[in-house]
Amino acid sequence: MCGIVGFLKTSNYFFDSKDLITNQIELLSHRGPNNQDFKLYKNIAFGHTRLSILDLSERANQPMESQCGRFMIVYNGEIYNFKNLKRKLTKIDLKTESDTEVIVELISSFGVKKTLDLLDGMFAIGIWDKKKSELIIARDRFGIKPLYWAIHNKSFFFSSELKTFRIIPNLEPRVKKSSIFSLLRYSCIPAPETIFENIFKVEPGKFVVYDKNLKLIKDEFWNSNSLIENRNIVSNDLNKCSDLIESELEKTVNSTMVSDVPIGSFLSGGIDSSLITALMTKFSTTKVQSYSIGFENKEFNEANYAKKIAEYLQTNHNEAYVSEKDLLDVIPLLPKIYSEPFADSSQIPTYLVSKLSSKKTKVILSGDGADELFGGYNRYYFAEKIEYSKRWIPNPVKVFLSQTLKYISEKNKKNIQDLFLRKKIPQFNDKLKKLAQIILGDKDFIYENLISSSSKCDDLIRHFKPQIKELNFKQSELCFFETMQFQDLNDYLHNDILTKVDRASMYCSQEVRVPYLNINVVKAAWSLPKDVKKNKLILKNILEKHIPRKLFERPKMGFGIPLGTWLTGCLKDWMLSTLEKKKITEQGYFCYDSLHKIIKDDLNINKNKYVIWNILMFQCWHDNFFSRQ
């Protein structure tokens, strides 16, 4: 796991290549503290910061050249099938035990596109083809690893993180208002866009070529549509489906545990991470190192569940209870950690668990991706039921239900669920508010409101008329449940979840691997009928073979923080200072009058806590980024 950076400079763009590449490498040093190096070749510069995981020797350092001398590579990630791919290189005497050398020699033998399709793992790659004078950059199928690019003065630049573009000579990043709108709605900025008009992200499964004629070519080596086009439902039998998924998970967990440094797992106590940890114990020759953090606020705390599972699996469990002060102390670091505006509030505990685990363990396996593949989000089946039920409910009744639910959520009627529900539902009022909104909407509206932080962002951004992206639910061949899954796999997963984990862990110089996103596991998941995926039925069926059901059967709990309580309490003065009128008016991004209506009293703050947090994260990032120009 590493940081990569590079550029192809035209002859009329005058700056010191060595000076720029070394300064950019320094900005990425947290991603690879074990070695930093670069290579210059005519008008090409490639830089690399290395977090040594496989073949810890100097011979595996990057940038690396193919033995034929044609290709140079910088690479961030891990390829889990690289040992099998070695067998295709029968005519080459490999000099290292690294996956990097296998990649560059495969490219030399089979070409870029075919090689990318062969790779099973997570990666962001930069390649220089000396013969064709082409620069190629590529990103893995699911966007696990980040990759940014820009063209300036006809020169091409790429990097693992946005911050390295800040020091490119004469490149003046221009904030994009549509990206601010995306941030307010989704808490992140979806690829290929970034916060800037003139800098972009490579999309998952795609690669970009900048050729000797200074022509930009975009292509893909994989498209998620193939999951649907090549889909064959294997069986409706739960046990047969479970055997298929368990077999694929066992193979991928075993392969993702290959490492020359200590390896462990994030163990939240939920189904996803518990299953990964259980399978790790099956293949590990020593006790698995597991990690979790606990919260003083019981509504957000799962550490006690994680501890019981760790005891049952006999892992070396490491836990730390974090105070409100611990959580709050992370906030000033967030602009440095994320480099680009990012506002999923679970970014704070994610960083803290990475910080805890990185003291002992360089490589971590996580349960990310399981929710999207196996129906883990309540919104999937919940929204489908709502959409179906709405067909039979008269419009006046819909309006009445919506208004009633909205009233209950806004008045914070905490005793409602105690009176009518047997189980306590986390963030109950937030969920009532969402339900009140979607009762009146169509399929697109339902998805948008379930996935977005706020639907009331339109009047917050000055001189900007937003356009909501089309989701094409009506044209989909999938049912609504699976269409939502597919949309999340292509959007929410890499733009939010994987971004959150990559930046938080890599800021701590730690690699996080995601076994659920192995391509064979993903294909197998999409060969299952809907009914065995609902409520993670299939994962529960597998996990019960390893852990008693009573240890994991409970309502899903998000990895969250008490955001509303903070913003109306200990963070209120900071919030008002960050969003003070003079600064907001001078910057000109937000309409202060609209913003003031939201933050003028505690009730409005609680109702709009997520969009407020999104604005705060933008302002913190903006202050940090531009103060260093």
Side-chain angles (χ1 to χ4, degrees):
M1 195 62 59
C2 313
I4 64 174
V5 65
F7 52 83
L8 168 59
K9 182 176 71 171
T10 53
S11 58
N12 62 347
Y13 192 3
F14 301 105
F15 62 84
D16 188 319
S17 295
K18 182 179 178 181
D19 184 59
L20 176 60
I21 198 72
T22 53
N23 287 332
Q24 288 181 314
I25 288 171
E26 179 61 28
L27 290 173
L28 296 177
S29 59
H30 56 280
R31 296 187 72 92
N34 300 125
N35 185 73
Q36 290 87 40
D37 203 357
F38 66 89
K39 285 188 178 181
L40 303 176
Y41 177 80
K42 295 183 179 179
N43 55 345
I44 282 287
F46 271 21
H48 189 262
T49 66
R50 185 183 182 196
L51 178 62
S52 302
I53 303 296
L54 295 172
D55 190 342
L56 308 184
S57 67
E58 292 184 3
R59 62 187 178 180
N61 288 341
Q62 301 179 44
M64 185 181 290
E65 294 187 37
S66 61
Q67 291 186 19
C68 68
R70 176 177 172 179
F71 297 96
M72 180 165 62
I73 185 173
V74 282
Y75 149 65
N76 166 31
E78 297 292 341
I79 304 304
Y80 308 124
N81 64 336
F82 82 98
K83 290 185 177 180
N84 291 331
L85 293 175
K86 277 185 179 182
R87 298 169 187 166
K88 296 181 178 290
L89 302 172
T90 55
K91 298 180 181 180
I92 299 174
D93 181 19
L94 297 174
K95 307 300 182 184
T96 76
E97 294 300 319
S98 72
D99 51 357
T100 308
E101 186 181 19
V102 173
I103 298 171
V104 74
E105 296 302 342
L106 284 170
I107 290 171
S108 181
S109 299
F110 301 105
V112 173
K113 191 169 185 177
K114 184 174 181 180
T115 296
L116 294 173
D117 190 52
L118 290 171
L119 303 181
D120 170 21
M122 52 184 182
F123 56 84
I125 300 176
I127 304 153
W128 172 244
D129 185 338
K130 295 179 183 178
K131 182 177 180 180
K132 290 186 176 181
S133 295
E134 286 183 348
L135 177 58
I136 307 108
I137 59 173
R139 192 178 182 195
D140 63 70
R141 292 175 181 85
F142 303 107
I144 304 169
K145 304 314 298 176
L147 191 54
Y148 296 83
W149 65 272
I151 295 176
H152 180 59
N153 279 356
K154 298 182 179 180
S155 300
F156 188 89
F157 300 85
F158 69 91
S159 178
S160 293
E161 294 190 12
L162 193 64
K163 64 183 69 172
T164 64
F165 293 86
R166 186 179 63 220
I167 61 173
I168 295 173
N170 304 317
L171 175 61
E172 297 181 1
R174 301 184 299 274
V175 172
K176 189 172 185 178
K177 287 194 173 183
S178 62
S179 292
I180 301 177
F181 180 78
S182 294
L183 178 70
L184 265 56
R185 282 194 66 83
Y186 310 116
S187 303
C188 60
I189 301 170
E193 305 303 323
T194 70
I195 189 60
F196 296 121
E197 294 179 357
N198 48 345
I199 304 175
F200 306 91
K201 302 183 188 101
V202 179
E203 294 180 89
K206 293 186 169 46
F207 63 97
V208 175
V209 182
Y210 198 60
D211 67 18
K212 61 182 178 182
N213 298 316
L214 309 182
K215 181 181 178 182
L216 184 74
I217 303 168
K218 297 180 183 179
D219 202 346
E220 63 183 21
F221 63 92
W222 186 78
N223 191 305
S224 59
N225 288 331
S226 63
L227 296 171
I228 300 172
E229 294 166 358
N230 302 323
R231 184 186 193 196
N232 290 307
I233 301 297
V234 291
S235 173
N236 287 307
D237 182 84
L238 176 60
N239 290 325
K240 288 183 180 179
C241 292
S242 297
D243 290 343
L244 170 64
I245 297 301
E246 185 172 20
S247 173
E248 292 297 341
L249 279 175
E250 284 184 343
K251 286 185 284 188
T252 190
V253 167
N254 193 22
S255 67
T256 52
M257 290 178 68
V258 175
S259 172
D260 294 330
V261 296
I263 190 167
S265 74
F266 285 155
L267 180 59
S268 68
I271 294 165
D272 311 334
S273 62
S274 296
L275 180 53
I276 294 299
T277 304
L279 294 177
M280 289 178 72
T281 62
K282 181 176 182 178
F283 298 110
S284 181
T285 56
T286 60
K287 280 193 173 185
V288 171
Q289 296 283 343
S290 58
Y291 298 89
S292 66
I293 58 171
F295 304 100
E296 294 173 348
N297 187 325
K298 293 182 179 180
E299 185 179 0
F300 299 92
N301 183 46
E302 283 189 294
N304 52 327
Y305 303 118
K307 187 174 183 178
K308 290 178 181 178
I309 290 172
E311 289 173 351
Y312 186 85
L313 293 174
Q314 297 184 329
T315 68
N316 279 332
H317 192 54
N318 305 265
E319 69 172 10
Y321 270 76
V322 295
S323 65
E324 185 173 76
K325 183 181 183 301
D326 294 325
L327 292 163
L328 295 172
D329 285 346
V330 177
I331 293 175
L333 289 175
L334 294 176
K336 298 176 183 178
I337 294 171
Y338 286 90
S339 185
E340 181 178 14
F342 182 79
D344 182 331
S345 60
S346 62
Q347 64 200 124
I348 295 176
T350 300
Y351 165 73
L352 288 172
V353 75
S354 291
K355 183 181 178 182
L356 168 68
S357 56
S358 64
K359 294 174 182 178
K360 294 183 181 179
T361 312
K362 273 192 175 184
V363 179
I364 288 287
L365 270 59
S366 83
D368 295 307
D371 283 318
E372 290 78 9
L373 293 174
F374 299 102
Y377 294 123
N378 292 331
R379 62 176 180 263
Y380 292 162
Y381 64 91
F382 175 70
E384 187 174 47
K385 288 180 179 178
I386 291 295
E387 195 273 332
Y388 177 79
S389 300
K390 282 169 55 181
R391 301 175 193 175
W392 313 104
I393 301 175
N395 283 332
V397 178
K398 293 178 190 176
V399 173
F400 173 77
L401 285 173
S402 178
Q403 291 175 342
T404 302
L405 292 170
K406 183 180 179 183
Y407 173 80
I408 293 171
S409 67
E410 290 181 354
K411 295 301 180 182
N412 199 25
K413 301 290 185 180
K414 293 181 180 180
N415 61 333
I416 294 294
Q417 62 176 320
D418 295 330
L419 289 173
F420 296 103
L421 300 174
R422 293 181 179 178
K423 293 183 179 180
K424 183 174 176 62
I425 300 176
Q427 294 91 49
F428 179 68
N429 289 309
D430 289 341
K431 291 173 181 177
L432 282 184
K433 184 179 178 182
K434 288 283 188 183
L435 178 57
Q437 293 171 329
I438 67 174
I439 281 176
L440 301 178
D442 59 12
K443 286 184 178 181
D444 283 16
F445 185 86
I446 291 173
Y447 182 83
E448 278 288 307
N449 277 275
L450 286 174
I451 200 67
S452 67
S453 301
S454 174
S455 59
K456 297 182 179 180
C457 307
D458 298 18
D459 58 348
L460 284 171
I461 304 177
R462 295 187 62 189
H463 313 301
F464 174 73
K465 185 176 181 180
Q467 290 184 336
I468 303 297
K469 58 187 175 185
E470 295 182 6
L471 302 176
N472 293 322
F473 281 128
K474 296 176 182 177
Q475 299 176 15
S476 173
E477 297 178 1
L478 302 172
C479 66
F480 191 29
F481 178 94
E482 290 185 317
T483 302
M484 293 180 74
Q485 280 188 289
F486 193 66
Q487 185 70 25
D488 276 353
L489 185 69
N490 286 283
D491 191 343
Y492 176 68
L493 179 62
H494 69 90
N495 288 317
D496 187 313
I497 302 299
L498 297 174
T499 295
K500 174 184 65 180
V501 175
D502 174 83
R503 306 306 192 279
S505 60
M506 291 306 293
Y507 192 78
C508 300
S509 302
Q510 182 184 68
E511 172 179 306
V512 174
R513 299 177 178 178
V514 279
Y516 286 110
L517 295 182
N518 167 274
I519 183 58
N520 292 321
V521 174
V522 175
K523 287 179 179 178
W526 275 94
S527 71
L528 303 175
K530 177 184 67 175
D531 289 342
V532 304
K533 292 187 289 186
K534 282 193 172 184
N535 295 313
K536 292 186 186 172
L537 179 61
I538 193 167
L539 294 188
K540 292 176 182 178
N541 199 45
I542 299 170
L543 185 56
E544 195 172 17
K545 299 178 183 179
H546 304 273
I547 301 172
R549 184 174 281 266
K550 65 181 181 180
L551 292 181
F552 63 82
E553 188 75 283
R554 63 183 182 279
K556 182 178 176 63
M557 183 183 291
F559 199 34
I561 57 174
L563 195 54
T565 303
W566 285 2
L567 292 176
T568 56
C570 58
L571 288 182
K572 190 167 185 178
D573 289 343
W574 168 76
M575 174 190 70
L576 295 175
S577 174
T578 304
L579 303 180
E580 59 97 9
K581 185 174 183 178
K582 185 174 183 293
K583 180 199 294 186
I584 296 297
T585 304
E586 287 179 353
Q587 288 179 351
Y589 299 121
F590 301 109
C591 175
Y592 182 78
D593 290 341
S594 298
L595 181 56
H596 181 66
K597 289 179 183 178
I598 294 177
I599 63 175
K600 67 180 180 179
D601 59 58
D602 289 357
L603 179 59
N604 275 337
I605 291 171
N606 264 300
K607 284 167 54 180
N608 297 280
K609 59 189 176 185
Y610 295 115
V611 73
I612 293 173
W613 182 255
N614 295 350
I615 295 172
L616 286 168
M617 288 298 97
F618 172 82
Q619 286 300 137
C620 290
W621 166 83
H622 189 277
D623 293 347
N624 177 268
F625 192 95
F626 287 100
S627 67
R628 292 168 172 254
Q629 285 284 17

